Amino acid sequence: ICNISRKQTRSESHYFNSFVSRTKTCGELRSCHVGQEVTLCGWIQYQRHGLFLVLRDFQGLTQIIIPQDEVRAGKKMPTGDIEVKAKTAEVLNSCKKLPFEIKDFVKKTEALRMQYRYLDLRSFQMQYNLKLRSQVVMRMREYLCNLHGFVDVETPTLFKRTPGGAKEFVVPSREPGKFYSLPQSPQQFKQLLMIGGLDRYFQVARCYRDEGSKSDRQPEFTQIDIEMSFVDQAGIQCLIEGLLQYSWPEERGPITTPFPSMSYAEALASYGTDKPDTRFGMKIVDVNDIFKSAELGFLQNALNMPQGTIQAICIPQGAVSNSIIILVTLVKLNVQKECFKNECVLLISLPDGTLKSPVSRFLNEKQKSDLIKAVKAEVDDLVLLAAGEHMEVCSILGKLRLETADLLEARGLALRDPAAFHFLWVVDFPLFLPKEKNPVELESAHHPFTAPHPSDADLLYTEPAKVRSQHYDLVLNGSEIGGGSIRIHNAKQQRFVLEAVLKEDTELLSHLLEALEYGAPPHGGIALGLDRLICLITGASSIRDVIAFPKSFKGRDLMSNAPDYIVPEELEPYHIQVAWPTAQAEVKTN
Amino acid sequence: ICNISRKQTRSESHYFNSFVSRTKTCGELRSCHVGQEVTLCGWIQYQRHGLFLVLRDFQGLTQIIIPQDEVRAGKKMPTGDIEVKAKTAEVLNSCKKLPFEIKDFVKKTEALRMQYRYLDLRSFQMQYNLKLRSQVVMRMREYLCNLHGFVDVETPTLFKRTPGGAKEFVVPSREPGKFYSLPQSPQQFKQLLMIGGLDRYFQVARCYRDEGSKSDRQPEFTQIDIEMSFVDQAGIQCLIEGLLQYSWPEERGPITTPFPSMSYAEALASYGTDKPDTRFGMKIVDVNDIFKSAELGFLQNALNMPQGTIQAICIPQGAVSNSIIILVTLVKLNVQKECFKNECVLLISLPDGTLKSPVSRFLNEKQKSDLIKAVKAEVDDLVLLAAGEHMEVCSILGKLRLETADLLEARGLALRDPAAFHFLWVVDFPLFLPKEKNPVELESAHHPFTAPHPSDADLLYTEPAKVRSQHYDLVLNGSEIGGGSIRIHNAKQQRFVLEAVLKEDTELLSHLLEALEYGAPPHGGIALGLDRLICLITGASSIRDVIAFPKSFKGRDLMSNAPDYIVPEELEPYHIQVAWPTAQAEVKTN
């Protein structure tokens, strides 16, 4: 790397050049600067026979001529109008052969990028992503702090275990047998701050979640964490819409508010998911009425089930040439894998307005034509018909909708505008869900502090399973980027939910329950997942591309090789020892 | 708590009232608002016979009249000009009897405050501290991000153990025997970001340090973490001076820059510490020349030692009445406790211009009058004379200087202006110090990445103990509030320091050493301790008063009772078990 200098003249531009010896970055020289003497610092991107070189820094590239005779070469870069003729040059450091070139189009494996992350960070794309992230967060802070009087409060990360906190990392303390936990969110603290009268809190909060190996998840992640007193759901939604509008990067075009809103029930019925990608159609269509008198056994069976239903989606051009084979395989795989209790059949819309299918002979003409009408099928469209339990049928069709959309796009069909940003509020979630392992018992759909929907408050004590909540999710292009709720502020109601409905041991939460008894104000909040949001804004293919030093999907840092073994003496102050699995223990002792 | 409402009219002031049902805060109503209808939300601070009540929120107090007849009462508060006549009132929640009143002048123990931190946070002082902290940090971000092009980059807290990282919390992973560590600072990451070409980085970084029980330290704390490429010491100092000036709260008066600078050697010689409190004099005075030919044994002995010295300080009015006894006791205690090898005597300046002391008969007149002149002693001043090894003598006198200053101030002497802010750079530290347990070996005075002073670079390979560093500390009113350095960017030099000088095993740092080989730019940085800085700005008596949810000095959260026992099954995924100390293990099994 190099310090190219002609004469020490300070530039007026102090934005990037304050406090350092350069007078210009490698990105800012233009023809208007011709004749000036400048000092540049950067890395040699390219050099040729001692004739000229290209200097790179975090702002761009500049061509440097090593004077011998008049060389002129117009380069295709923003600074291409000028060349800097070197007067003096100082080599500040040397560089051994790089494991990969610092050029965006040079392909390298993710493992190699992670091992040499500090070199990977020199790429234009990584620097762009990190700078954009920094700018978006700064704008969010301006909006919250400077425009709306929020107080940025830091909350602890060494905390107490939360009930059911199976995904919390533990941190041994120096007191034998006692552990801190790294919390998954500042949920308790943000509520305690409202009880403490702080009125409006936010934090760009580091959170922790130990999920073992999960792709595109990180053991530590960041959320924009917000809580307000005396607020309702509409207030929080309005705040967030303003926040995103204010912080949205100009180069991604404006976003319009308010965002559309959809109930959880509608999202499930129309998109088979609680985070619909509304950038394209292919909605799920209820066709129960069409097949009320169907003779097909599996349709009849579905209609006789308590939550039975028949639903369809139409895949445009899904039956064209070879894609049909892929789709059929896909459907079979999914149906087998996901849910053997449900059935799913394929029907192809023919040019003569009829449907081709192994089951078509069991359907009468009216049913077929009604179905074509209901899903608006055109020639060569593919209709998927699924029957079974409502939630499962919708979920399967929702997944197939997304997978087939990917397939259709891979084939060249323009389904989703890659530059479009579709925000959506999903509201009116159920407050409780049946436990998967024991459906007679209930668990919180989100967390036990969520307030019931005002219209359903009385149901809480009679039919809790029917209570809707004041939870809201924010969805962007089919990804959940945030979620929050109005919280329970009444101590008795909170105790009833924890003890009577959820059968939780409240001991771990006794401080919060007591706090609610001291005049807790009505309050609510939200958290936005920053990594995911920035990933969607930048169009990065993974959240690892918007994090400076991410972990691998196994939770490892491939650069430093963390986590790592440590010597037993270093565990002694914490009164813990490793419980080696037997096989490994033997290897260790050998 | 209450929702006092007359009619829903939206105020123009959207700063604190956006998104919520109130139209005004309890702090903003003035006589100009007379006649308006407002909605307030808050807590009942005081009520009287259903006649009137005082409503409190995060902005202030407002008096509410419950209409029955015309009550008028001028109250001494900023909103005292107005009273709000209640039209409708809604009780939003009830409050059981508080463990202490929410009034700043009501004394409560720290333990009680911590147990009910959410109530303690309702005090004016805590809310002021947290709001000021938020605003100062916001201004710092504006300065760094918006004015000087810094990029806010989040770095991981689940990382690899650093060499000698005895103060690092460990976090067990799901891989048997492998642990993350919670780093004490993002030191490695900030350097890797420079190697990655990010050019100027900052982060308001959460850091961790497990020091067991230490008063006024927290196991997690926050630092303003900064790193720049192509910068020198003067550049970083200029940046920080601008940063503090820009973010300094208006109500604390302006601060002037540049800050004065002092070498480590001078700080030690004049103040006996590397963090001098320069708000008052009482400097240490070198009196070696005066006593060159002294007959007193302990003075002679000192002068014959290799680093021997005789130093004095003068305590103004230190000999007045009863304080002398305290001072004498103090000095004796300190000298005995601190260092039995040194000796320290007291001399009292008498009205006749002589000195009274048990040793005065061993000093001749010239020595006495020279001493009085050298320390500028006046009548009733107390002179402390200490002899011994230079560093130890200066340290003892430095400590006595601070302790006597406290004593003199307790007696009413105005030594230090409580509203004054004295910043000071301390520079030219030694790069290495002899290890306390084995003075033949060297250890880093700060950390092994600190660059040697350019003038001493060659000494590194011949006499490393004599090398000064490019480390700088920022001191405010005698507290270290920041420190940083220009780093080593040459891989060979870094390896020499680690291997040849410090005899460290470089395996844990191999990734950083390798990174330096790939064209690391010259770089340097600094970290400011945010908790301490805010503590000094607000005049809080402890950093616990500028942190929303601090830990006790034993590292406990007294509100939630963290850390806490967890069931063995929850440790299983992490392949660890508790190694109970024997006595406790028996209690557990009984």
Side-chain angles (χ1 to χ4, degrees):
Chain A
I1 63 163
C2 241
N3 186 342
I4 302 284
S5 148
R6 294 193 68 181
K7 197 182 134 190
Q8 293 289 335
T9 45
R10 282 266 161 208
S11 152
E12 293 93 60
S13 148
H14 274 284
Y15 186 68
F16 284 118
N17 302 321
S18 44
F19 315 117
V20 291
S21 54
R22 71 168 165 259
T23 61
K24 288 275 182 282
T25 68
C26 294
E28 66 182 302
L29 288 175
R30 295 293 185 278
S31 51
C32 64
H33 297 103
V34 166
Q36 285 190 18
E37 298 200 329
V38 296
T39 304
L40 304 175
C41 298
W43 286 257
I44 295 172
Q45 175 81 355
Y46 177 79
Q47 62 168 317
R48 195 185 162 132
H49 306 314
L51 291 172
F52 68 90
L53 53 90
V54 174
L55 202 67
R56 185 194 71 233
D57 70 6
F58 66 113
Q59 288 291 298
L61 304 166
T62 293
Q63 181 156 303
I64 312 288
I65 298 179
I66 298 151
Q68 30 220 324
D69 56 287
E70 291 300 304
V71 179
R72 295 275 141 198
K75 271 243 166 187
K76 276 185 195 167
M77 49 193 192
T79 59
D81 289 347
I82 56 89
E83 299 157 329
V84 173
K85 201 165 165 184
K87 191 172 177 187
T88 63
E90 186 187 347
V91 175
L92 298 170
N93 211 346
S94 61
C95 180
K96 70 174 184 183
K97 190 169 160 35
L98 295 169
F100 49 80
E101 278 191 88
I102 313 299
K103 285 176 182 164
D104 284 304
F105 55 83
V106 172
K107 292 259 178 218
K108 44 247 165 195
T109 65
E110 170 133 346
L112 197 67
R113 289 179 55 201
M114 290 301 154
Q115 186 186 343
Y116 296 99
R117 186 57 160 185
Y118 45 87
L119 299 179
D120 189 42
L121 287 174
R122 291 183 187 170
S123 73
F124 168 79
Q125 194 57 55
M126 278 306 302
Q127 298 207 345
Y128 173 84
N129 291 353
L130 293 180
K131 280 189 248 180
L132 181 131
R133 180 181 177 130
S134 170
Q135 282 156 10
V136 168
V137 173
M138 188 64 203
R139 293 280 289 173
M140 287 181 168
R141 292 177 178 280
E142 287 169 10
Y143 177 86
L144 292 167
C145 241
N146 296 352
L147 300 187
H148 293 286
F150 279 74
V151 184
D152 178 4
V153 182
E154 299 173 65
T155 59
T157 56
L158 293 173
F159 192 48
K160 192 187 172 81
R161 206 143 181 81
T162 48
K167 290 173 181 170
E168 287 175 354
F169 287 100
V170 296
V171 182
S173 78
R174 285 172 188 260
E175 294 186 69
K178 289 193 177 180
F179 293 80
Y180 300 104
S181 281
L182 298 176
Q184 288 188 55
S185 89
Q187 182 63 35
Q188 290 187 45
F189 291 113
K190 66 204 278 192
Q191 295 195 238
L192 290 165
L193 285 171
M194 294 306 103
I195 296 169
L198 261 287
D199 200 68
R200 13 185 92 189
Y201 142 91
F202 90 101
Q203 184 183 194
V204 181
R206 186 70 56 91
C207 303
Y208 299 86
R209 189 166 45 204
D210 178 20
E211 297 189 297
S213 304
K214 261 203 181 178
S215 93
D216 230 25
R217 286 280 178 97
Q218 289 284 314
E220 49 186 321
F221 58 98
T222 304
Q223 64 188 36
I224 309 291
D225 200 49
I226 290 171
E227 196 81 7
M228 292 175 83
S229 293
F230 310 111
V231 74
D232 59 13
Q233 180 165 325
I236 296 282
Q237 289 178 335
C238 185
L239 165 81
I240 293 300
E241 287 162 359
L243 174 77
L244 286 166
Q245 201 161 44
Y246 186 87
S247 60
W248 201 253
E250 237 174 73
E251 67 252 47
R252 299 286 147 172
I255 56 176
T256 49
T257 60
F259 301 151
S261 189
M262 190 184 285
S263 74
Y264 167 76
E266 189 191 339
L268 185 66
S270 297
Y271 296 93
T273 174
D274 58 0
K275 37 180 191 286
D277 186 347
T278 50
R279 286 175 299 174
F280 68 107
M282 289 173 58
K283 286 202 218 177
I284 301 170
V285 181
D286 185 323
V287 291
N288 281 310
D289 286 351
I290 298 172
F291 297 107
K292 232 181 274 176
S293 57
E295 287 163 26
L296 259 172
F298 85 99
L299 297 180
Q300 278 306 324
N301 290 346
L303 291 179
N304 290 334
M305 289 163 71
Q307 305 283 330
T309 194
I310 307 168
Q311 305 281 327
I313 61 169
C314 173
I315 299 160
Q317 300 299 294
V320 171
S321 67
N322 52 8
S323 68
I324 180 124
I325 302 156
I326 307 170
L327 282 174
V328 171
T329 318
L330 187 71
V331 171
K332 283 193 181 151
L333 272 176
N334 264 287
V335 173
Q336 284 166 5
K337 189 174 61 188
E338 289 291 330
C339 189
F340 53 88
K341 289 177 298 184
N342 300 287
E343 297 205 38
C344 191
V345 292
L346 287 168
L347 304 102
I348 296 166
S349 180
L350 295 181
D352 61 2
T354 61
L355 289 167
K356 185 182 145 191
S357 163
V359 300
S360 65
R361 62 196 165 101
F362 302 109
L363 304 175
N364 63 40
E365 288 314 308
K366 172 141 177 49
Q367 286 168 337
K368 287 185 210 174
S369 68
D370 282 356
L371 178 60
I372 287 175
K373 230 179 285 168
V375 300
K376 301 198 181 82
E378 293 178 10
V379 175
D380 284 339
D381 285 0
L382 193 69
V383 179
L384 296 180
L385 192 67
E389 194 272 330
H390 178 71
M391 190 159 175
E392 289 177 353
V393 161
C394 292
S395 295
I396 288 178
L397 288 181
K399 278 176 195 160
L400 289 173
R401 174 179 174 268
L402 291 176
E403 290 184 39
T404 50
D406 287 346
L407 278 173
L408 291 171
E409 286 186 338
R411 218 182 62 197
L413 201 77
L415 264 187
R416 292 171 285 203
D417 176 0
F421 292 99
H422 282 239
F423 287 95
L424 176 74
W425 289 109
V426 179
V427 298
D428 293 346
F429 281 84
L431 186 53
F432 306 107
L433 290 174
K435 278 189 187 169
E436 213 167 308
K437 284 183 184 163
N438 182 7
V440 187
E441 290 176 24
L442 294 176
E443 61 187 3
S444 294
H446 295 93
H447 59 56
F449 315 115
T450 312
H453 197 288
S455 331
D456 299 352
D458 290 340
L459 277 178
L460 181 63
Y461 304 94
T462 53
E463 292 178 278
K466 289 196 177 162
V467 175
R468 286 166 306 161
S469 72
Q470 292 192 66
H471 178 95
Y472 30 85
D473 268 353
L474 182 58
V475 174
L476 172 57
N477 293 354
S479 287
E480 184 198 320
I481 57 162
S485 60
I486 302 303
R487 328 294 184 186
I488 296 173
H489 67 277
N490 179 295
K492 273 186 197 155
Q493 192 180 60
Q494 183 66 74
R495 206 175 277 280
F496 180 83
V497 165
L498 284 167
E499 293 175 353
V501 182
L502 299 173
K503 324 278 186 210
E504 286 271 10
D505 177 5
T506 54
E507 207 227 301
L508 285 173
L509 288 172
S510 58
H511 53 285
L512 188 68
L513 282 165
E514 191 177 11
L516 289 174
E517 291 176 338
Y518 289 110
H523 61 290
I526 194 166
L528 301 181
L530 183 63
D531 306 299
R532 171 73 47 216
L533 176 63
I534 300 295
C535 188
L536 289 167
I537 294 177
T538 57
S541 58
S542 150
I543 58 166
R544 293 186 294 281
D545 285 350
V546 299
I547 296 172
F549 299 98
K551 302 279 192 298
S552 76
F553 77 100
K554 283 191 173 163
R556 291 210 190 106
D557 178 317
L558 299 180
M559 179 184 65
S560 73
N561 192 29
D564 204 357
Y565 297 110
I566 64 178
V567 295
E569 298 83 65
E570 292 187 325
L571 297 179
E572 264 171 35
Y574 300 110
H575 310 282
I576 56 166
Q577 56 197 33
V578 177
W580 294 101
T582 327
Q584 201 148 351
E586 279 164 15
V587 173
K588 277 264 148 183
T589 45
N590 288 346
Chain B
I1 63 161
C2 240
N3 185 343
I4 302 285
S5 150
R6 295 192 68 182
K7 198 182 133 192
Q8 293 289 335
T9 44
R10 282 269 159 204
S11 151
E12 292 93 61
S13 147
H14 274 284
Y15 185 69
F16 284 118
N17 302 321
S18 43
F19 316 117
V20 292
S21 53
R22 70 168 166 260
T23 61
K24 288 274 182 282
T25 68
C26 295
E28 67 181 300
L29 289 175
R30 293 293 185 278
S31 51
C32 64
H33 297 104
V34 165
Q36 285 191 17
E37 298 198 329
V38 297
T39 304
L40 304 174
C41 298
W43 286 259
I44 296 172
Q45 175 80 355
Y46 176 80
Q47 62 167 319
R48 192 183 165 132
H49 306 313
L51 290 173
F52 70 89
L53 53 90
V54 174
L55 203 65
R56 184 195 72 235
D57 70 6
F58 68 111
Q59 287 291 300
L61 303 166
T62 292
Q63 181 154 302
I64 312 289
I65 297 179
I66 297 150
Q68 31 222 322
D69 55 287
E70 291 301 304
V71 179
R72 294 275 141 196
K75 273 245 166 185
K76 277 185 196 167
M77 48 193 191
T79 58
D81 289 347
I82 56 91
E83 301 157 329
V84 173
K85 201 165 165 184
K87 190 170 177 187
T88 63
E90 186 187 347
V91 175
L92 298 170
N93 211 345
S94 61
C95 180
K96 72 175 182 182
K97 189 169 161 33
L98 295 169
F100 50 80
E101 278 191 89
I102 312 299
K103 285 174 181 165
D104 285 304
F105 56 82
V106 172
K107 292 257 178 216
K108 44 250 165 193
T109 65
E110 172 133 344
L112 197 67
R113 287 178 56 200
M114 290 303 153
Q115 186 186 345
Y116 296 99
R117 185 60 159 182
Y118 44 87
L119 299 179
D120 189 42
L121 287 175
R122 290 182 187 169
S123 73
F124 168 78
Q125 195 57 54
M126 278 307 303
Q127 298 206 345
Y128 173 84
N129 291 353
L130 293 180
K131 279 188 251 182
L132 182 130
R133 179 180 177 130
S134 169
Q135 282 156 10
V136 168
V137 172
M138 187 64 203
R139 293 280 288 173
M140 287 181 168
R141 292 177 178 280
E142 287 169 11
Y143 177 85
L144 292 166
C145 241
N146 296 351
L147 299 187
H148 292 287
F150 279 75
V151 184
D152 178 4
V153 182
E154 299 173 65
T155 59
T157 56
L158 294 173
F159 192 48
K160 192 188 174 81
R161 205 142 183 82
T162 47
K167 290 173 181 170
E168 288 175 354
F169 287 101
V170 296
V171 181
S173 78
R174 285 173 188 258
E175 293 185 72
K178 290 194 177 181
F179 293 80
Y180 299 104
S181 281
L182 298 176
Q184 287 188 56
S185 89
Q187 183 62 35
Q188 290 187 44
F189 291 114
K190 67 204 276 193
Q191 295 195 239
L192 290 164
L193 285 171
M194 293 307 103
I195 297 169
L198 261 288
D199 199 67
R200 9 185 94 190
Y201 142 91
F202 88 101
Q203 183 183 193
V204 182
R206 186 69 56 90
C207 303
Y208 299 86
R209 189 167 44 204
D210 178 21
E211 298 190 297
S213 303
K214 262 206 180 176
S215 94
D216 229 26
R217 286 281 180 97
Q218 289 284 315
E220 50 186 319
F221 59 98
T222 304
Q223 65 188 35
I224 310 293
D225 200 49
I226 289 171
E227 196 82 6
M228 291 175 83
S229 293
F230 309 111
V231 75
D232 60 12
Q233 181 165 322
I236 295 282
Q237 290 178 335
C238 185
L239 165 82
I240 293 300
E241 287 162 358
L243 173 77
L244 286 166
Q245 200 161 43
Y246 186 87
S247 60
W248 201 253
E250 237 174 72
E251 67 253 45
R252 301 285 147 172
I255 55 175
T256 50
T257 60
F259 301 151
S261 189
M262 190 184 284
S263 74
Y264 167 77
E266 189 191 340
L268 185 66
S270 297
Y271 296 93
T273 173
D274 58 359
K275 38 179 192 283
D277 186 347
T278 51
R279 287 175 299 174
F280 68 108
M282 289 172 58
K283 286 202 217 176
I284 302 170
V285 180
D286 185 322
V287 291
N288 282 310
D289 286 349
I290 300 171
F291 298 106
K292 233 181 274 176
S293 58
E295 288 163 24
L296 261 172
F298 83 98
L299 297 180
Q300 279 305 326
N301 290 345
L303 291 179
N304 290 333
M305 290 164 70
Q307 306 284 329
T309 195
I310 307 169
Q311 305 280 328
I313 61 169
C314 173
I315 300 160
Q317 301 298 294
V320 171
S321 68
N322 52 9
S323 67
I324 179 114
I325 302 157
I326 306 170
L327 282 176
V328 171
T329 319
L330 186 70
V331 171
K332 284 195 180 150
L333 271 176
N334 264 286
V335 173
Q336 285 168 5
K337 188 175 62 189
E338 288 293 330
C339 188
F340 53 89
K341 289 175 297 181
N342 302 287
E343 299 206 36
C344 191
V345 291
L346 287 168
L347 305 101
I348 297 166
S349 180
L350 295 180
D352 60 3
T354 62
L355 288 167
K356 185 181 143 189
S357 161
V359 300
S360 63
R361 61 194 164 101
F362 301 109
L363 304 175
N364 64 38
E365 288 315 306
K366 168 132 178 58
Q367 287 168 338
K368 286 186 212 172
S369 68
D370 283 355
L371 178 60
I372 288 175
K373 230 179 284 168
V375 302
K376 302 195 181 83
E378 295 178 9
V379 176
D380 285 340
D381 286 0
L382 193 70
V383 179
L384 297 180
L385 192 68
E389 193 274 328
H390 178 72
M391 189 160 175
E392 288 176 354
V393 161
C394 292
S395 294
I396 288 178
L397 288 181
K399 279 178 195 159
L400 287 172
R401 174 178 175 269
L402 291 176
E403 290 182 41
T404 51
D406 287 345
L407 278 172
L408 292 171
E409 287 187 337
R411 220 182 61 197
L413 200 77
L415 265 187
R416 290 171 287 204
D417 176 0
F421 293 98
H422 282 239
F423 288 94
L424 176 73
W425 290 110
V426 179
V427 298
D428 292 346
F429 283 85
L431 185 54
F432 306 107
L433 291 174
K435 278 189 185 167
E436 212 166 309
K437 286 184 183 161
N438 181 8
V440 187
E441 290 176 22
L442 293 175
E443 61 187 4
S444 293
H446 294 94
H447 60 57
F449 314 115
T450 312
H453 197 288
S455 330
D456 299 352
D458 290 341
L459 278 178
L460 182 62
Y461 303 95
T462 53
E463 291 178 279
K466 289 194 178 164
V467 176
R468 287 166 304 161
S469 72
Q470 292 192 66
H471 178 95
Y472 30 84
D473 268 352
L474 182 58
V475 174
L476 172 56
N477 293 353
S479 287
E480 184 198 321
I481 58 162
S485 60
I486 302 302
R487 328 295 185 187
I488 296 173
H489 68 277
N490 179 295
K492 273 186 197 154
Q493 192 180 60
Q494 183 66 75
R495 206 176 278 280
F496 181 83
V497 166
L498 285 167
E499 291 173 356
V501 182
L502 299 172
K503 325 278 187 211
E504 286 271 10
D505 177 4
T506 54
E507 207 228 303
L508 285 173
L509 288 172
S510 57
H511 53 285
L512 188 68
L513 283 165
E514 190 177 11
L516 289 174
E517 293 175 339
Y518 289 110
H523 61 290
I526 194 166
L528 301 180
L530 183 63
D531 306 300
R532 172 72 49 214
L533 176 64
I534 301 294
C535 189
L536 289 167
I537 295 177
T538 59
S541 57
S542 150
I543 57 165
R544 292 186 295 281
D545 285 350
V546 300
I547 296 172
F549 299 100
K551 302 279 193 298
S552 75
F553 78 101
K554 286 193 171 162
R556 291 209 190 105
D557 178 317
L558 299 180
M559 179 183 67
S560 73
N561 193 30
D564 204 358
Y565 297 111
I566 64 177
V567 294
E569 299 82 66
E570 292 186 326
L571 297 180
E572 265 171 32
Y574 300 110
H575 309 283
I576 57 166
Q577 57 197 30
V578 177
W580 294 101
T582 327
Q584 202 150 352
E586 277 165 16
V587 174
K588 277 264 147 182
T589 44
N590 289 347

